[in-house]
Amino acid sequence: MAEYAKQLLSLIEIPILLVHGDRVSFANEAAKALLGSHIEGQDIRIALRDPESSDGGRAKISGLSVRGSVWEMVCSPLSDNSRLISLQDQSVQVSVARAHADFVANASHELRTPLTAILGYVETLSDPKAGEDPATRQRFLDIIKREATRMQSLVSDLMSLSRIEAIRHEAPSDRVDMVSLCREVIGERPRDVEVSFV
């Protein structure tokens, strides 16, 4: 690989690997920081701790940096049995999605509890024995009011959260074709510099 191309890939802040055959022929600094400085020359499946990593395309790799981390691998074929592999940390997105699912489950439970109490006391008040006793009726109505107010507060919190979610900044989700980007940048190189990916 030409020195210019190595310098170019070294500037990229996400882990980038160049693989020739099944061996890592180049790793930028971000890849060495993630996987260790010894990965150049190593079998890609060992370097990524994933036996399927040589299959190409996109794949999710778990536990690459720390336990529970999730990384997306994008493998782009080059010429002469070479591949460019980029790694993107998806741990935050996965964690947020999991937290969101947990929140929805907890919110549903929190709403179900007062609703069940309200329905139970309304049903009890419908019974002529309980409904005719003023003290019992007032106690049950007070409980219904308290639980309804609790539900109103929960719904208000959910609406506030929904408004915050609607206006918060979303990270760009567009994919970047690293091979095309590298070729575009190489096209802008000085004319006297020769670049090869293999």
Side-chain angles (χ1 to χ4, degrees), residues 16-190:
I16 299 286
L17 301 167
L18 187 69
V19 179
H20 187 71
D22 287 327
R23 299 275 167 188
V24 177
S25 59
F26 172 79
N28 70 354
E29 293 305 313
K32 289 178 182 176
L34 174 66
L35 303 168
S37 57
H38 62 283
I39 62 170
E40 288 184 348
Q42 206 173 50
D43 187 298
I44 185 62
R45 293 164 294 192
I46 295 172
L48 295 181
R49 305 171 200 117
D50 188 330
E52 306 299 323
S53 60
S54 63
D55 291 349
R58 295 180 185 275
K60 297 283 187 192
I61 302 175
S62 299
L64 195 57
S65 53
V66 295
R67 184 188 295 264
S69 66
V70 178
W71 290 77
E72 182 181 46
M73 178 197 74
V74 179
C75 183
S76 304
L78 302 172
S79 58
D80 194 26
N81 199 26
S82 294
R83 303 182 303 287
L84 186 70
I85 293 178
S86 64
L87 299 166
Q88 186 73 44
D89 190 354
Q90 302 286 312
S91 305
V92 172
Q93 291 91 323
V94 170
S95 178
V96 167
R98 190 177 299 125
H100 190 271
D102 290 345
F103 172 79
V104 169
N106 289 335
S108 298
H109 174 74
E110 288 297 320
L111 286 170
R112 191 179 296 121
T113 302
L115 185 59
T116 301
I118 289 170
L119 291 172
Y121 284 111
V122 166
E123 187 178 328
T124 304
L125 283 173
S126 299
D127 183 341
K129 283 187 177 180
E132 289 175 3
D133 179 30
T136 302
R137 185 173 61 247
Q138 189 56 51
R139 184 165 60 87
F140 285 3
L141 287 172
D142 289 342
I143 292 171
I144 290 170
K145 183 179 179 182
R146 185 176 69 241
E147 295 297 333
T149 303
R150 180 179 165 198
M151 279 185 68
Q152 187 178 36
S153 176
L154 285 168
V155 169
S156 178
D157 289 346
L158 286 172
M159 294 298 290
S160 296
L161 183 64
S162 178
R163 281 192 296 274
I164 292 168
E165 285 282 316
I167 62 172
R168 75 183 175 90
H169 175 71
E170 291 285 345
S173 59
D174 294 344
R175 301 287 181 189
V176 176
D177 184 345
M178 294 304 298
V179 173
S180 296
L181 180 61
C182 289
R183 287 186 173 135
E184 181 182 332
V185 173
I186 289 168
E188 297 174 5
R189 74 188 188 282

